[in-house]
């Protein structure tokens, strides 16, 4: 079941990639039904908070008419950052399921774990590594392509001089 919904999050990540965004996607599931979906739009919106998780949480809250997503599960292709982990916690999301670890900023267990810190008044169940290789490969390929394009531009610029 987790793989099915992670594939939907991957589909969202691919939409982000088509826009030149970092390919991260998210879906929110309630009672076995996707109620919200989103992908990164930071570059498109020029907004630091336009992460897939934040956009999906906002959509789910609007659809349900409440900020409390107590029985919901968030599926996201990359481990949530501090902002997204915080939003998940504050919206009372019951489960956070993610694909690839983020050793530089993941706050669902890799770098730190905001989602299960007992000092907060809400904790989420965390499941990591669902379709991890596929989720990670999306990011690896995206950043490799960016580096290659940057090298080509630099070489072309050098040729013009």
């Amino acid at each position: 079941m987790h793989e099915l919904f992670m594939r939907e999050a991957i589909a969202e990540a691919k939409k982000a990639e088509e826009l030149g965004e970092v390919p991260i996607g998210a879906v929110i599931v309630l009672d076995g039904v996707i109620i919200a979906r989103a992908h990164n739009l930071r570059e498109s919106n020029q907004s630091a908070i336009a992460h897939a998780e934040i956009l999906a949480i906002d959509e789910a809250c609007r659809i349900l008419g409440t900020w409390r997503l107590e029985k919901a599960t968030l599926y996201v292709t990359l481990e949530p950052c501090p902002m997204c982990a915080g939003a998940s916690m504050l919206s009372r999301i019951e489960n956070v399921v993610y694909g690839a670890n983020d050793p530089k900023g993941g706050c669902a267990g890799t770098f730190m774990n905001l989602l299960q810190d007992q000092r907060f008044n809400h904790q989420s169940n965390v499941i990591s590594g669902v379709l991890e290789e596929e989720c990670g490969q999306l990011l690896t390929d995206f950043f490799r392509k960016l580096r290659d394009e940057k090298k080509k531009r630099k070489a072309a610029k050098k040729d013009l001089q």
Side-chain angles (χ1 to χ4, degrees), residues 37-103:
R37 55 178 66 235
H39 50 273
N40 268 8
L41 289 173
R42 276 193 327 181
E43 298 300 327
S44 299
N45 292 358
Q46 287 299 296
S47 172
I49 63 170
H51 288 204
E53 301 96 306
I54 298 293
L55 298 172
I57 288 168
D58 189 48
E59 181 181 338
C61 290
R62 272 186 279 126
I63 287 168
L64 296 176
T66 181
W67 61 270
R68 292 178 183 267
L69 304 176
E70 291 168 322
K71 304 250 187 249
T73 299
L74 167 67
Y75 290 86
V76 61
T77 55
L78 181 66
E79 180 179 4
C81 72
M83 174 179 67
C84 295
S88 298
M89 178 190 56
L90 292 171
S91 64
R92 309 294 195 264
I93 287 178
E94 185 173 358
N95 306 293
V96 174
V97 180
Y98 71 87
N101 290 333
D102 183 359

Side-chain angles (χ1 to χ4, degrees), residues 1-12 14 25-27 29 32 34 37 73-77 96-100 127-135 138:
M1 186 64 99
H2 291 313
E3 287 185 5
L4 172 76
F5 292 121
M6 187 60 73
R7 290 212 182 282
E8 293 293 324
I10 289 169
E12 287 297 316
K14 289 178 179 178
V27 297
V29 175
I34 295 173
R37 55 178 66 235
T73 299
L74 167 67
Y75 290 86
V76 61
T77 55
V96 174
V97 180
Y98 71 87
I127 299 169
S128 63
V130 175
L131 299 179
E132 180 176 12
E133 200 169 307
E134 191 173 339
C135 292
L138 280 171

